[in-house]
Amino acid sequence: MTATTGLDLTAYTGTYTIDPAHTQIGFVARHAMVTKVRGTFDDFDGTVAFDAANPAATAVRVTIQAAGINTRNNQRDEHLRSNDFLAMEEHPQITFVSTGFRMTGDESFDLTGDLTIRGVTNTITIPFTFEGASADPFGNTRLGFEGSVAINRKDYGVSWNAALETGGFLISDKIVLEFEVSAIKNA
């Protein structure tokens, strides 16, 4: 996304709405120390405001409904919504509000912001790759991004676990958040 690639950033100035039908916000956790469990958040919305004249002023806001967690297992999903994990009744939303944007390469950038889970806010930096821009069949300008970041769930008060007889714990502290984003430019 820099001028060194011949990419004209001015074409991307504007406000975008994250398209939930073509965006995935997911996570990965190690389970029983032998495998990984993947899940998604299926109910979210977000906006991106980008100004090519001042890329550092980029503003991103995402709101995820905790009830939309989906690991393809209803019993596990209900447990994740409970006070042992997301405490959905008291904290129905997970939010991310950007506080910084920095280009790190021709088509890569770091997005820094405040992630709030269970009412606990921590600053994280997510490395992203710009995947491209296109006009869709409906005449909308779309931008694509992919990124991921590892967080420690205990930093957000999510500390429930169970010891395994063979040693170790049922669920890893490290959770990888994954983002595949399609954003549509607002008219």
Side-chain angles (χ1 to χ4, degrees), residues 1-115:
M1 290 182 58
T2 64
T4 60
T5 63
L7 196 59
D8 181 9
L9 291 176
T10 58
Y12 304 122
T13 292
T15 301
Y16 296 78
T17 299
I18 295 174
D19 177 5
H22 298 97
T23 296
Q24 181 167 297
I25 299 175
F27 60 92
V28 181
R30 181 133 327 259
H31 181 263
M33 300 187 65
V34 297
T35 191
K36 293 178 181 175
V37 170
R38 295 181 180 278
T40 59
F41 291 100
D42 295 340
D43 186 3
F44 58 87
D45 59 69
T47 58
V48 177
F50 179 74
D51 180 354
N54 186 13
T58 296
V60 177
R61 179 169 190 79
V62 177
T63 302
I64 299 168
Q65 303 303 320
I69 197 166
N70 181 1
T71 64
R72 300 177 330 271
N73 180 293
N74 290 335
Q75 184 178 6
R76 178 174 47 224
D77 293 346
E78 286 303 317
H79 192 203
L80 291 171
R81 292 180 187 111
S82 77
N83 287 339
D84 285 344
F85 291 94
L86 296 177
M88 182 191 76
E89 293 296 322
E90 187 177 346
H91 305 285
Q93 296 179 332
I94 298 166
T95 61
F96 176 83
V97 179
S98 68
T99 58
F101 175 93
R102 183 177 67 87
M103 295 300 298
T104 57
D106 288 349
E107 294 186 350
S108 60
F109 60 92
D110 284 347
L111 185 65
T112 299
D114 294 331
L115 176 65

Side-chain angles (χ1 to χ4, degrees), residues 12 16 130-144 182-185:
Y12 304 122
Y16 296 78
F130 176 65
E131 295 297 321
S134 69
D136 68 21
F138 307 103
N140 299 308
T141 298
R142 287 183 178 269
L143 301 181
S182 178
I184 302 171
K185 190 172 188 176

Side-chain angles (χ1 to χ4, degrees), residues 151-184:
I151 63 169
N152 186 322
R153 65 189 180 92
K154 288 183 177 180
D155 292 345
Y156 296 89
V158 183
S159 58
W160 183 91
N161 221 333
L164 299 173
E165 289 181 20
T166 56
F169 291 93
L170 184 62
I171 304 162
S172 62
D173 291 342
K174 175 183 158 186
I175 306 295
V176 177
L177 303 177
E178 300 176 327
F179 308 92
E180 296 174 25
V181 179
S182 178
I184 302 171

